[in-house]
């Protein structure tokens, strides 16, 4: 009896264990740990730094005025050229044939004009002698004048053919240096297709783009400082020579900064860092934050999103901010953040508005940690 009772107890215990194993355990909530900083460091609103490209102040995009097959290219990128120097040629065969055809047309038109003049003079002489008719004189006079017009037309066609033949040779318009070459022998090109870009010798400038939040605080003639990280350690003085009135496809306004001097080590195509002085009267203060904290907005490069930590609920809130350039390799936010706010600075692409998080402290943050 005791043995049977023990067997029943063991069986019940085993079934209870199996029953417990089959029940689903409640899921454990995973709370993401985020790295944060406290918004505190203000940006210097009197200057802005932008990257630009050195360009010759005067340059030209060269192209053939006629289309055809490229016969030769006698110059390469980076080479210096003199005014009138031959750069490239087109196959002149078709243009020579066209010129011969117009010359033949002109000879035929001249012969016809001589014939029509003889007819007119004969009819006029007969009429003056009391024979013939005025109608016949008028008809031959009309034919003669039409033949003269045909000669002028043929002469014009021949001049155009001569001009087209001369345009098969592309020459340098002035002394300079070949900055771009986009042509090779045997290429078929169209009239007006760019084949070279030539930079004139002389002054240079830095071309760059600035956002709409900055362009209204710039003036033509304002001072600028230019630095070339790859070449010169010292800075060069410059001034704004051009401010664009319309933004480009990237929503940036074109700006040109003239260089007051031209060191021999500086050449077109080099990158430059330009510090612009702003007219800051009434300008809002900005705060510096790491670029990794910003989720960019594709359709508007001057705006983005950041996640602000809400301590009362231990959640993050997605905030839209406005940007204005950068300093110290940090982005400048001039609208959307307040000093003392705590923002996420790592893994922001994995966060969502209202997500519950916990703070992760780090000793290597470039700014004050939250």
């Amino acid at each position: 009896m005791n043995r049977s009772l023990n067997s029943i107890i063991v069986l019940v215990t085993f079934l209870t264990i199996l029953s417990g194993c089959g029940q689903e355990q409640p899921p454990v909530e995973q709370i993401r740990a985020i790295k944060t900083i406290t918004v505190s460091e203000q940006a210097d609103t009197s200057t802005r730094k932008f990257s630009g490209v050195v360009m010759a102040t005067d340059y030209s995009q060269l192209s053939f005025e006629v289309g055809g097959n490229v016969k030769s290219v006698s110059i390469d990128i980076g080479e210096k050229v003199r005014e009138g120097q031959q750069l490239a040629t087109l196959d002149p065969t078709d243009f020579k044939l066209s010129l011969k055809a117009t010359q033949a047309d002109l000879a035929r038109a001249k012969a016809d004009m001589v014939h029509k003049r003889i007819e007119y003079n004969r009819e006029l002489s007969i009429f003056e002698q009391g024979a013939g008719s005025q109608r016949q004189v008028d008809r031959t006079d009309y034919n003669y004048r039409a033949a003269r017009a045909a000669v002028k037309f043929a002469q014009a066609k021949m001049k155009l053919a001569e001009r087209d033949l001369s345009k098969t040779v592309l020459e340098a318009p002035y002394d300079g240096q070949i900055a771009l070459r986009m042509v090779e022998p045997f290429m078929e090109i169209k009239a007006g297709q760019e084949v070279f870009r030539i930079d004139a010798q002389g002054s240079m400038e830095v071309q760059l783009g600035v956002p709409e939040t900055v362009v209204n605080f710039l003036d033509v003639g304002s001072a600028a400082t230019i630095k070339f990280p790859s070449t010169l350690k010292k800075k060069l003085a410059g001034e704004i020579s051009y401010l664009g009135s319309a933004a480009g496809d990237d929503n940036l306004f074109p700006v040109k900064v003239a260089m007051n001097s031209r060191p021999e080590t500086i050449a077109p195509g080099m990158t430059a860092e330009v510090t612009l002085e702003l007219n800051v009267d009434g300008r809002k203060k900005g705060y510096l934050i790491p670029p990794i904290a910003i989720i960019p907005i594709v359709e508007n490069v001057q705006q983005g999103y950041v996640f602000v930590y809400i301590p009362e609920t231990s959640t993050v809130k997605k905030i839209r901010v406005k940007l204005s350039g950068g300093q110290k390799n940090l982005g400048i936010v001039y609208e959307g953040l307040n000093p003392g706010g705590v923002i996420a600075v790592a893994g922001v692409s994995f966060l969502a508005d209202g997500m519950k998080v916990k703070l992760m402290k780090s000793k290597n943050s470039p700014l004050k940690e939250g």
Side-chain angles (χ1 to χ4, degrees):
M1 182 69 178
N2 290 337
R3 183 179 299 174
S4 299
L5 181 60
N6 290 336
S7 299
I8 293 173
I9 292 173
V10 171
L11 179 61
V12 171
T13 302
F14 179 71
L15 292 175
T16 301
I17 293 173
L18 289 178
S19 176
C21 292
Q23 293 180 356
E24 294 184 359
Q25 299 297 322
V28 178
E29 183 179 5
Q30 297 292 330
I31 299 179
R32 180 178 292 276
I34 62 170
K35 184 178 180 181
T36 62
I37 62 168
T38 300
V39 178
S40 59
E41 185 175 359
Q42 290 189 357
D44 179 8
T45 58
S46 63
T47 61
R48 285 289 187 277
K49 290 184 179 180
F50 298 95
S51 295
V53 179
V54 178
M55 299 286 289
T57 303
D58 297 316
Y59 65 91
S60 298
Q61 296 174 333
L62 304 183
S63 61
F64 285 97
E65 295 184 38
V66 293
N69 189 272
V70 178
K71 182 180 180 180
S72 65
V73 180
S74 53
I75 203 72
D76 203 355
I77 186 171
E79 294 187 31
K80 293 183 178 181
V81 296
R82 306 292 296 178
E83 181 179 355
Q85 181 176 340
Q86 180 178 297
L87 306 180
T89 63
L90 298 179
D91 186 349
T93 303
D94 292 343
F95 298 93
K96 289 181 178 180
L97 291 175
S98 178
L99 177 59
K100 289 182 178 180
T102 59
Q103 290 172 339
D105 289 341
L106 177 59
R108 184 168 54 251
K110 286 182 176 180
D112 185 61
M113 182 186 69
V114 171
H115 175 69
K116 293 295 192 301
R117 184 177 59 196
I118 293 173
E119 286 187 342
Y120 168 68
N121 290 335
R122 183 176 62 248
E123 291 296 332
L124 180 61
S125 177
I126 293 173
F127 179 74
E128 289 175 345
Q129 294 175 10
S133 66
Q134 182 66 47
R135 181 177 181 182
Q136 188 66 12
V137 173
D138 292 342
R139 182 181 65 81
T140 55
D141 179 49
Y142 172 80
N143 291 339
Y144 174 51
R145 286 188 284 111
R148 285 191 301 174
V151 169
K152 291 181 179 179
F153 179 70
Q155 288 173 335
K157 287 183 62 178
M158 188 184 71
K159 288 181 180 179
L160 285 175
E162 290 174 341
R163 172 189 173 276
D164 288 347
L165 179 59
S166 69
K167 296 300 181 181
T168 59
V169 178
L170 183 64
E171 298 177 345
Y174 44 71
D175 295 350
Q177 186 174 20
I178 300 300
L180 290 176
R181 169 181 162 174
M182 294 153 284
V183 63
E184 297 295 338
F186 309 111
M187 280 181 59
E188 191 71 26
I189 63 171
K190 298 179 181 179
Q193 179 179 336
E194 183 181 359
V195 293
F196 292 105
R197 196 191 80 196
I198 180 174
D199 292 336
Q201 294 180 353
S203 60
M204 292 189 299
E205 63 189 13
V206 180
Q207 297 183 6
L208 52 102
V210 301
E212 60 185 18
T213 54
V214 172
V215 69
N216 291 329
F217 297 92
L218 300 175
D219 299 299
V220 173
S222 296
T225 303
I226 307 168
K227 184 179 179 181
F228 302 92
S230 61
T231 305
L232 294 178
K233 293 183 179 181
K234 67 177 183 179
K235 298 179 180 179
L236 300 180
E239 63 179 37
I240 297 175
S241 59
Y242 171 82
L243 284 176
S245 58
D249 295 335
D250 50 4
N251 291 327
L252 297 177
F253 288 79
V255 175
K256 296 180 180 179
V257 176
M259 297 170 54
N260 294 342
S261 60
R262 178 179 177 172
E264 294 182 357
T265 53
I266 302 302
M270 289 185 173
T271 58
E273 183 184 79
V274 181
T275 301
L276 301 177
E277 295 186 5
L278 310 184
N279 179 6
V280 296
D281 293 341
R283 184 170 176 81
K284 296 181 179 179
K285 295 181 179 180
Y287 297 94
L288 299 176
I289 65 173
I292 58 173
I294 304 170
I295 300 177
I297 298 176
V298 176
E299 62 273 13
N300 191 338
V301 296
Q302 281 86 51
Q303 296 190 26
Y305 293 101
V306 299
F307 285 95
V308 178
Y309 177 69
I310 310 299
E312 292 80 7
T313 58
S314 296
T315 59
V316 288
K317 183 177 181 180
K318 191 176 183 180
I319 300 293
R320 191 172 184 134
V321 295
K322 292 186 177 181
L323 311 171
S324 176
Q327 290 178 10
K328 304 177 184 178
N329 296 322
L330 300 172
I332 300 175
V333 174
Y334 74 94
E335 187 173 307
L337 293 180
N338 296 312
V342 178
I343 62 172
V345 293
V348 294
S349 59
F350 298 100
L351 301 179
D353 191 31
M355 177 184 288
K356 203 169 188 64
V357 296
K358 60 182 178 180
L359 301 184
M360 175 181 65
K361 292 188 176 180
S362 172
K363 297 182 179 180
N364 298 320
S365 174
L367 301 179
K368 184 178 178 181
E369 298 175 357

